Amino acid sequence: MRIIIATIFPEFVDTVRRYGVIGQAVESGILQIEVVNFRDFTSDKHRVVDDYPYGGGPGMVMKPEPFFRIHKHYSERYGKPFTILTSPQGVRFDNKVAQSLSQKENILIFCGRYEGVDERVMEVVDLEISIGDYVLSGGELAAMVICDAVSRFVPGVVEEESVKKDSFYNDLLDYPHYTRPAEFAGMEVPQVLLSGDHGKIEIYRTAESLKRTALRRPDLFVKRDFSEQEKKALIWLIRELIGNAE
Ligand code: ADE
């Protein structure tokens, strides 16, 4: 899969392709992440990317021309990309949106800036995405978040097992994790994790996921269609609560 990110801060955005599992996937060729500077697609000597808003008002607006030129350039090179504009007015980004985007062959993400983007750019935008109800000073961080979360769903970037166990994959929060030492500063790792009984460990982890989800995200918990394993875990949890766990 290829993700192209258009920005006025290419050095900043470039960090998304250099670290951790995403860095390794780029290195091994599973993922192509290209970062492009809007200024390289301007046609004036000063490489101007913004201008005053028609009708007046505060701030500057990003000019349409570089967006159209970038879209045309990459469409000719790789075929028409699925095109995203980061904006607080967009649809809310979540794991489901990330997973569906990971099915696309080419994605182009335009990082919005300043007070906004000339509305005519929407002609080439397939989806406006917001990463939350707050205003960032630009779309770069949003584009990096989208790029990272989408990449995790691309086969080979992380182990499939890890993705399935991630919080939200299944509308369930992740269970708690522990590593050595078994006792640290007087705090112990739950006994069941040291037992070597994989059946019990699975039930415990499912129960912990359900407990966290119920406490932190009751909205997800109440609409859940519980699997047989989850029902077993819930019974285990209730027994544990009344001091009768087996
Ligand atoms: N640009 C500014 N704020 C944003 C947000 N919350 N999500 C996506 N892009 C943005």
Side-chain angles (χ1 to χ4, degrees), residues 199-219:
K200 270 198 177 149
I201 291 173
E202 273 310 298
I203 293 277
Y204 160 80
R205 285 180 165 164
T206 307
E208 287 298 315
S209 276
L210 290 166
K211 196 159 88 183
R212 275 193 173 176
T213 310
L215 291 173
R216 299 181 191 182
R217 291 297 303 273
D219 56 316

Side-chain angles (χ1 to χ4, degrees), residues 86-88 112 129-139 142:
T86 58
S87 126
I129 294 183
S130 163
I131 62 162
D133 288 343
Y134 38 80
V135 180
L136 300 164
S137 41

Side-chain angles (χ1 to χ4, degrees), residues 30 35 90 92 114 127 147 150 158 232 238:
I30 297 173
V35 179
R92 179 71 76 82
Y114 306 111
L127 188 64
C147 181
V150 170
V158 287
K232 249 166 123 174
I238 292 164

